[in-house]
Structures are given as structure tokens and as C-alpha cells.
């Protein structure tokens, strides 16, 4: 077992209930190790640059896929998916871990874990100016045999709470939904049916985030106006749209096929607004990661006085086919029941059975509020079904007799009756 010791979850292990979530079907697993917490929030400038380079590439590659579509609102959280996959990498081994790290833009797990934990700590901020809160958890089936080291790592690096539960308990989906509601300040997780677990599911992990920021220079409701919003085909949407209007300073940049500006928030965040040229669609800009990089990470932004006319909106989305999309980006092994390697977590063969995300975001005169969570499910891999074949030796064939490697006899039969 490579020096690791194995722990089996039992009913007597960690009978601590999360009273804040009102949990009844799940018990929190106590994590005693504090190793790495101090080191996790320290990183060098070189490590920071390397990490952010990988995160930028991941954002552009995945957003280019998930923003595809026509004539529909879409919303995707790269940070939530990135953090969920970072935690998944802690449970993986071998080529499976290598594929995860490659997609995440990381060279080795140790350096990446330190950098991603520092990034995670830096994102968690709460003040009168705004809130950015990330929360993580891992849920294990009662009786599932696992190694404690990855659980401790997830707790130390990403403050991930670990729970054991009877996955067949009808109360568990409500408990999970309660955890999501708390992590997203009530914006998500209200429908317990979203968290029904499969019969073979052994582990699920969640990465949730909540954000709220107030504009540095709020819009005035008195300046709001009504007007049409034109769809991709040039037709106006049904009913007037409410627009927020203001002239204010901000960063502005242009590129091949678009113009863009950003509005600052009191907590240091920014919201970008990108307007394609009239002969292009947002999907045209998002279709290519390198173009999306110019759009989202400009190098030519300059300060300008911008006359803003921004529609108030609220959007909710759940990107479809995340596993298939990630497989298309080269992440194939984690989803294979026969090739996935999560031996860092357990001797039980596991594979990723699903990844899904939900997100919501609203902007108004005061600012922006949004939340998202990503769920990663791992199932026990079923034993490989034997291949059914037929070998009908009704025509000439070759044969051999082998004993302890040497071939004792070999021959050809062309007529068994001869």
C-alpha cells in the first residue's frame, strides 16, 4: 500500500453534525492534520505568474466551448470548475493525474497545489465593500474504504469539509442542497432533486462560490430608460428592456471585431462588457480561445470616458455536457471506467461519472451578485464484462504447445481426419 494506511468510514467515525446546515444524514469527518496550511498561502512571484498563465489558458479554452450556442443566454464559471478539477487531481494518480494537471496548466502537483491554494485564499474576501467567498466539500459513501491523506490535503489546501453519509438516505439530497444554499448565500441549491445520488456513486465533491460587489460609481435609477433589445437576427425582443445609463470613466479597449469596457467595483473587482461589431455575434468572438484571450485579458486597455447604456439582467445557466467537452479537450482518462486512476484516494477502482455546474448572476443599479457550484461525482468502476467471442476451428489452423515459455510443439492442421 506504498506506506499509506487505509481507513474505512463507519457510523462511529466523527459524529459531528453541521448544525449551521441542519444536517441529519451526514456526519463531518474530523481532520486532525494541519500540515501545509501555512505553506499553502505563500507563493513566489514566479509561481504566481506560472499559475495565472495556466488559469488564463484554461479559462479561454473552456469558455470557448461552454459559451457556444445560438440565441440563448449563457453563464459559466471557469473558477468553480477549475477549483473542482484541482481538488480532483489530489485524488488522482498516474496518467489520470497527469491529464488533469495538463488541462489545468500545471507541471507538477506539489507546486500546483501550493499555488492554487494561495489563489484560493486570496479570493476569499469579505468586507463592507463586497464579498467573494469560496467553499469546498467532499462527500463519501458510508463504508467506502479510502486513504486519509487526500482528505487532509483537501482540507488543508482548500478548507474542504469532508462528510460521510448513507448515500441511500432519502434525507441526504436535502442536506447537500442545504450545504450549497449556505455556500451560495441562498442563491442555489434549493431543489433537493438536483442532488440525487447514483447507486454506484462513492464520492462527490463540490466547489461553490458566491460573489457580491457594489459599483464604485453606481447607476442612478432616475436615469434608467426603456427601449428595444435587438436579437441576433435583427428583430426586437418582445417588450421594452430597462437600461441603466451613465457617463463615467473606465478602461476601454478595442480589438478585431469588438469594443469593450470595464466597470470597477468597490472591492477591486471589475465587470467587463464586450460588444461585437454589428456583423459578428458573441459566439463568433468566443469560438476561438486566442480571440477570447484578447477579449477577456486585454493588453491595450486605456482609460476613457464611457457613455454606458447597460440592460439590467438576471441570468441562470447549467452548462451541458461538461464531461464530453472536457474529453474533447484531452481529459479522457478520468471518465474511463477501465483506465481512470484514483488510487491516491482509494483502492476501490473509481472513475468520474459526471461533472455538472449551476450558476446565476444578476446586475442592477447597485452592483453585481452571483453564485455557482461545480459537482464532481465518482462511481465505483464495475468489473469489466468478459468479451463474448466464437472460435470455430472449421478450417485450417495453426497450433502450439507451450510449457514454461518454450514452445514444445507447433503445427498446422489442414485436415483433422487425415
Amino acid at each position: 500500500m506504498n506506506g499509506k494506511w487505509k481507513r474505512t468510514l463507519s457510523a462511529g467515525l466523527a459524529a459531528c453534525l453541521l448544525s449551521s446546515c441542519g444536517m441529519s444524514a451526514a456526519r463531518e469527518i474530523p481532520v486532525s492534520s494541519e500540515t501545509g496550511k501555512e505553506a499553502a498561502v505563500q507563493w513566489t512571484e514566479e509561481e504566481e505568474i506560472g499559475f495565472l498563465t495556466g488559469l488564463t489558458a484554461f479559462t479561454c479554452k473552456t469558455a470557448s466551448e461552454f459559451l457556444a450556442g445560438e440565441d440563448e443566454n449563457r453563464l459559466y464559471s471557469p473558477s468553480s470548475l477549475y477549483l473542482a478539477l484541482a481538488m480532483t487531481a489530489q485524488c488522482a494518480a498516474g496518467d489520470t493525474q497527469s491529464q488533469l494537471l495538463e488541462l489545468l496548466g500545471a507541471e507538477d502537483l506539489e507546486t500546483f497545489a501550493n499555488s492554487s491554494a494561495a489563489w484560493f485564499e486570496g479570493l476569499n474576501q469579505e468586507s463592507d465593500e463586497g464579498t467573494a467567498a469560496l467553499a469546498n466539500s467532499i462527500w463519501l459513501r458510508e463504508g467506502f474504504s479510502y486513504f486519509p491523506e487526500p482528505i487532509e490535503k483537501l482540507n488543508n489546501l482548500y478548507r474542504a469539509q469532508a462528510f460521510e453519509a448513507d448515500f441511500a438516505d432519502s434525507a441526504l439530497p436535502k442536506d447537500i442542497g442545504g450545504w450549497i444554499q449556505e455556500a451560495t448565500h441562498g442563491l442555489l441549491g434549493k431543489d433537493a432533486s438536483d442532488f440525487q445520488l447514483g447507486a454506484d456513486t462513492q464520492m462527490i465533491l463540490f466547489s461553490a462560490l458566491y460573489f457580491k460587489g457594489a459599483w464604485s460609481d453606481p447607476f442612478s435609477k432616475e436615469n434608467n430608460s426603456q427601449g428595444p433589445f435587438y436579437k441576433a437576427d435583427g428583430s426586437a425582443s418582445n417588450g421594452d428592456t430597462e437600461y441603466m445609463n451613465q457617463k463615467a470613466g473606465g478602461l476601454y479597449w478595442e480589438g478585431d471585431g469588438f469594443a469593450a469596457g470595464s466597470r470597477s467595483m468597490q472591492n477591486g473587482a471589475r465587470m467587463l462588457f464586450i460588444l461585437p461589431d454589428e456583423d459578428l455575434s458573441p459566439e463568433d468572438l468566443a469560438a476561438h480561445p486566442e480571440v477570447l484571450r484578447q477579449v477577456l485579458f486585454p493588453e491595450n486597455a486605456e482609460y476613457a470616458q464611457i457613455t454606458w447604456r447597460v440592460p439590467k439582467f438576471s441570468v441562470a445557466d447549467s452548462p451541458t455536457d461538461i464531461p464530453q467537452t472536457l474529453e474533447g479537450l484531452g481529459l479522457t482518462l478520468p471518465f474511463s471506467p477501465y483506465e481512470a486512476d484514483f488510487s491516491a484516494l482509494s483502492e476501490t477502482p473509481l472513475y468520474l461519472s459526471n461533472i455538472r455546474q449551476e450558476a446565476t448572476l444578476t446586475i442592477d443599479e447597485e452592483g453585481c451578485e452571483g453564485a455557482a457550484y461545480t459537482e464532481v461525482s465518482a462511481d465505483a468502476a464495475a468489473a469489466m464484462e468478459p468479451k463474448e467471442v466464437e472460435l470455430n476451428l472449421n478450417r485450417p489452423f495453426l497450433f502450439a504447445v507451450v510449457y514454461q515459455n518454450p514452445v514444445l510443439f507447433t503445427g498446422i492442421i489442414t485436415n483433422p481426419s487425415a
Side-chain angles (χ1 to χ4, degrees), residues 244-262:
M244 302 180 294
N245 302 283
Q246 185 186 59
K247 186 174 183 179
L251 291 178
Y252 175 82
W253 62 102
E254 296 178 350
D256 187 12
F258 71 90
S262 76

Side-chain angles (χ1 to χ4, degrees), residues 241-326:
T241 297
E242 184 175 8
Y243 289 89
M244 302 180 294
N245 302 283
Q246 185 186 59
K247 186 174 183 179
L251 291 178
Y252 175 82
W253 62 102
E254 296 178 350
D256 187 12
F258 71 90
S262 76
R263 288 187 59 86
S264 61
M265 299 183 190
Q266 294 178 20
N267 60 355
R270 294 177 296 124
M271 189 165 185
L272 316 184
F273 297 90
I274 298 95
L275 183 66
D277 290 351
E278 289 189 2
D279 58 342
L280 295 175
S281 69
E283 293 80 14
D284 293 330
L285 297 180
H288 305 287
E290 61 274 14
V291 175
L292 203 56
R293 182 187 295 267
Q294 298 174 22
V295 170
L296 300 179
F297 303 96
E299 297 181 355
N300 61 332
E302 57 184 358
Y303 184 83
Q305 285 292 319
I306 304 172
T307 299
W308 291 99
R309 190 167 188 252
V310 182
K312 295 174 64 173
F313 65 82
S314 180
V315 57
D317 200 5
S318 180
T320 58
D321 301 329
I322 291 181
Q324 293 85 342
T325 299
L326 296 181

Side-chain angles (χ1 to χ4, degrees), residues 26 28 32 36 42 67 77 83-84 100 125 128 151 165 168 209 233-235 256 267 284 296 305 324 331 404:
E28 188 170 8
S32 59
Q42 301 172 1
L67 296 182
S77 172
L83 190 52
L100 283 161
Q125 302 288 338
D128 294 338
I151 307 301
L209 67 85
D233 61 5
S235 63
D256 187 12
N267 60 355
D284 293 330
L296 300 179
Q305 285 292 319
Q324 293 85 342
L331 191 66
Q404 294 185 2

Side-chain angles (χ1 to χ4, degrees), residues 35 86 115 119 167 206 221 242 252 271 305 334 363 394 415:
T35 305
S115 298
W119 168 70
F167 279 17
F206 289 93
K221 288 185 179 182
E242 184 175 8
Y252 175 82
M271 189 165 185
Q305 285 292 319
I363 71 165
N394 64 354
N415 182 4

Side-chain angles (χ1 to χ4, degrees), residues 40 88 100 104 106 128 136 157 160 162 173 215 218-219 225-226 234 237 275 280 283 311 321 329-330 354 365 405 408:
T88 303
L100 283 161
L104 295 169
D128 294 338
N136 304 303
L157 294 169
W215 304 123
F219 290 93
S225 61
Q226 303 286 327
S237 59
L275 183 66
L280 295 175
E283 293 80 14
D321 301 329
L329 294 175
N354 194 25
E365 293 86 359
N405 240 8
L408 301 186

